[in-house]
Each structure stands twice: as structure tokens, then as C-alpha cells.
Amino acid sequence: MDEELRSLTERLRAESGGSVAYDRLVATEDLDVLAGVLTEAGQPLWARELAAFRLGLAGDRRAFETLVLLLNHRDPPRCASAAYALARLGDPRTARAAAALATNELRVAYALHPVRLLTELRAPESVPALITTLRRRLRPHDPYRRVALACVEGLGTLADPRAEPVLEEALAHPALAEAAVHALSRIPGQRSGQRSSDGRIPGPR
């Protein structure tokens, strides 16, 4: 069993109370049964999450809308599972949806997993969305440092020169400076590989 699926099923088993319905959804190989859970009225959240996750791993795009909703859920484990499934779903709408969630200031408290998903997808939307999200997080006293750090790390992974200006700005923030130095060093042609941990470029010796 996929390790992420194992973790999810253990969590949802507890939520469901180990019900017969839970056992049925874990055991079935019928994708239509799983898809039906997403459209039937009155289905509990755990059932919808389990069905959407399994459909996502199977590449069934009927899971897309439910997984996007879960990606922006207030419960971090649901966000993490949705991101994992969306990364494997192969739906061309995924990156645009993740970018919209990552850059939505009204939901920034839940932007961590959309940011990480954008990094994994390496889509055309990824770098612009991460730059926008990070730039907003560089405001004084911004409380969403985990989101900012995920953006810095993601931009380093993507190594796109368009990220240089915002990563340079991030050097002024102690909580982000070390990660920003590392991210800049990964961008081809950047002098930041010579930077010290405080963001300065050493002078000649």
C-alpha cells in the first residue's frame, strides 16, 4: 500500500469509527463507486476525502473538484493528502487552481500546501504564484512565516531567474535569510553562491 494512503486510511479509520462504509471504500476497486461518494448527498467528509484521494491516485479526474476544496481546508492533514493526490492526478487544471489558492490573501493561513504543490508541479503558473505570495509575506510583522519559507524554498527548487529580486528582498528577513541565500545560489549565473549566511557578498581577499 502507498505510504501516504496508509497514513490517510489510518486517520480516516478513526474518524469513521471503523464503520462498514469505511471498510467498503478502502476495499473497493470500482472507481464508479468511489466517484459516486463525491456526488451523493449526505456523505461524511471522511468518505469524500477517502474516495477523492483514491481516485486521484488512480488518475481519475472526477476527483479534481473535491481535492481542490480539500487542498484549502483548515485541517492541515487534509490539505497534505489532497496535495499528494493532486500531484499524481495529472489534471491540467491543477496548477491554476493551486496558484489561485496560494495567492488568495483571504485564505493565506491555508496556503502552505498549495505553495508546496506548485513547487512539485513545476508548472508555468508556479514561479509567478510563488513570487506573488512571497512578496506579500515580506511585509513587516507578517505572521505567515511558514508560507514565506515554503515560497523561498520552492523558488530555490525551481531555480528561475525571475525569482532573484524577491529572494534578494527576503535576505533582509532573519527567518528567511539562510533559505534565501541557498535559493539564490541555485539560480544559474547568480553570484549569491558566494554569499555569507547574512546575505552579504564577501569582498576580495
Side-chain angles (χ1 to χ4, degrees):
M1 180 185 290
D2 183 283
E3 186 57 35
E4 191 70 21
L5 177 59
R6 186 189 307 277
S7 175
L8 175 133
T9 52
E10 289 176 356
R11 172 168 58 82
L12 297 186
R13 179 184 293 112
E15 285 191 32
S16 71
S19 66
V20 173
Y22 167 84
D23 291 335
R24 179 175 65 92
L25 289 179
V26 169
T28 187
E29 297 299 327
D30 189 334
L31 299 184
D32 289 336
V33 169
L34 294 172
V37 173
L38 305 183
T39 58
E40 293 169 8
Q43 289 289 343
L45 181 58
W46 66 260
R48 295 184 186 279
E49 181 180 1
L50 178 55
F53 186 90
R54 293 199 61 202
L55 286 169
L57 294 192
D60 191 315
R61 294 180 182 178
R62 288 176 288 183
F64 176 76
E65 287 81 4
T66 301
L67 289 173
V68 169
L69 289 173
L70 291 169
L71 181 63
N72 199 224
H73 198 273
R74 64 179 180 274
D75 185 0
R78 296 197 199 281
C79 300
S81 294
Y84 183 88
L86 282 165
R88 287 149 184 81
L89 177 59
D91 193 302
R93 299 169 291 175
T94 298
R96 185 167 51 200
L101 294 175
T103 57
N104 184 350
E105 279 295 281
L106 297 178
R107 302 287 292 175
V108 64
Y110 312 110
L112 179 62
H113 290 286
V115 164
R116 289 176 175 171
L117 176 58
L118 284 166
T119 301
E120 185 173 358
L121 292 174
R122 294 178 175 270
E125 296 89 347
S126 297
V127 170
L130 266 59
I131 289 173
T132 296
T133 304
L134 177 57
R135 183 164 285 120
R136 293 170 178 170
R137 306 282 65 81
L138 298 180
R139 298 166 182 163
H141 312 299
D142 184 87
Y144 303 109
R145 279 292 177 241
R146 290 187 68 199
V147 174
L149 183 59
C151 289
V152 171
E153 292 171 345
L155 290 170
T157 297
L158 298 172
D160 191 303
R162 290 175 293 174
E164 289 182 25
V166 74
L167 289 173
E168 292 279 358
E169 292 178 43
L171 293 171
H173 297 258
L176 304 175
E178 183 176 352
V181 169
H182 181 66
L184 283 163
S185 73
R186 301 182 71 176
I187 296 175
Q190 240 289 335
R191 291 183 64 204
S192 55
Q194 305 172 19
R195 292 180 184 276
S196 62
S197 60
D198 62 4
R200 296 177 298 180
I201 299 177
R205 298 185 179 182

